[in-house]
Amino acid sequence: SGQGREILKFGGLFTFSSALGSLCRDSDKILLGIFYSAEELGYYAIAHMILMFPLLQVLTPIAGAVVPYFSMLRDSRDAFEKEINEVVVVLGSVTVPFMVFAAAKSGALIALIFGEKWLPSAPVFSFLAIAGAGPAFAVQPDEIMTDPAQEIRARNLSRELRCMVCQNQSIDDSD
């Protein structure tokens, strides 16, 4: 039936998109593996994993709640912008202090979680934490250009630019 084809088409596109997203998310590790040793890649992987784990534990349930909520606001641009701005401010207010603390205490955190043999990953961890804190308040959703042509150009650029912290995702898709 027509509806069955639509579901299969959507499922196929979703699967392709997920596979492509995985490849993009791991491109940093692939490049590090090509140009550096397995040991250095291990330090990077540990630092990245330690940094992302608590964030994902907080952000995953929040995303599960806010996406349906925001979908109810899709007909009211003003209400949508107001609510999403509040979420950005709250999440940024939590994320930035966490990242700064994590960067400052990177050695102690890594020694506590994985042991002293992984301490060489502490500088990488600090760098990732500081780099991850920077974008928290960088772009507000209500920052829309008055000229529609400039807005389209800006959106296209943000889809093409890649985030070095979020495993090569586009700036738009960046975690």
Side-chain angles (χ1 to χ4, degrees):
S1 75
Q3 187 177 16
R5 277 191 289 261
E6 285 296 315
I7 291 172
L8 288 174
K9 181 180 175 183
F10 175 79
L13 290 173
F14 182 77
T15 301
F16 175 74
S17 174
S18 295
L20 187 59
S22 292
L23 179 63
C24 290
R25 279 189 299 277
D26 290 334
S27 63
D28 58 337
K29 292 173 196 74
I30 293 168
L31 289 172
L32 285 170
I34 291 171
F35 295 108
Y36 294 96
S37 71
E39 181 179 351
E40 291 166 314
L41 178 59
Y43 292 140
Y44 175 83
I46 289 293
H48 189 268
M49 182 178 62
I50 295 170
L51 184 65
M52 293 307 295
F53 183 76
L55 292 176
L56 292 175
Q57 297 304 310
V58 171
L59 295 178
T60 301
I62 290 173
V66 298
V67 170
Y69 176 70
F70 286 147
S71 69
M72 294 186 306
L73 301 173
R74 70 181 177 271
D75 296 329
S76 173
R77 182 179 175 129
D78 292 336
F80 177 80
E81 286 180 2
K82 178 183 174 289
E83 293 297 321
I84 203 161
N85 279 331
E86 288 180 16
V87 168
V88 167
V89 168
V90 168
L91 290 178
S93 299
V94 171
T95 303
V96 171
F98 168 77
M99 297 292 223
V100 170
F101 172 79
K105 299 295 184 180
S106 64
L109 287 171
I110 288 175
L112 176 70
I113 296 169
F114 288 102
E116 304 229 349
K117 74 176 187 174
W118 290 103
L119 279 177
S121 64
V124 176
F125 180 84
S126 293
F127 173 78
L128 291 174
I130 295 300
F137 296 109
V139 176
Q140 295 296 318
D142 61 350
E143 292 176 342
I144 298 175
M145 307 238 177
T146 54
D147 180 357
Q150 286 182 338
E151 177 65 20
I152 290 169
R153 184 167 183 249
R155 296 295 167 195
N156 287 338
L157 279 172
S158 68
R159 279 191 290 275
E160 291 175 23
L161 294 174
R162 298 286 167 216
C163 177
M164 294 175 64
V165 175
C166 298
Q167 301 181 352
N168 202 30
Q169 292 176 330
S170 73
I171 298 297
D172 272 357
D173 297 330
S174 180
D175 295 334

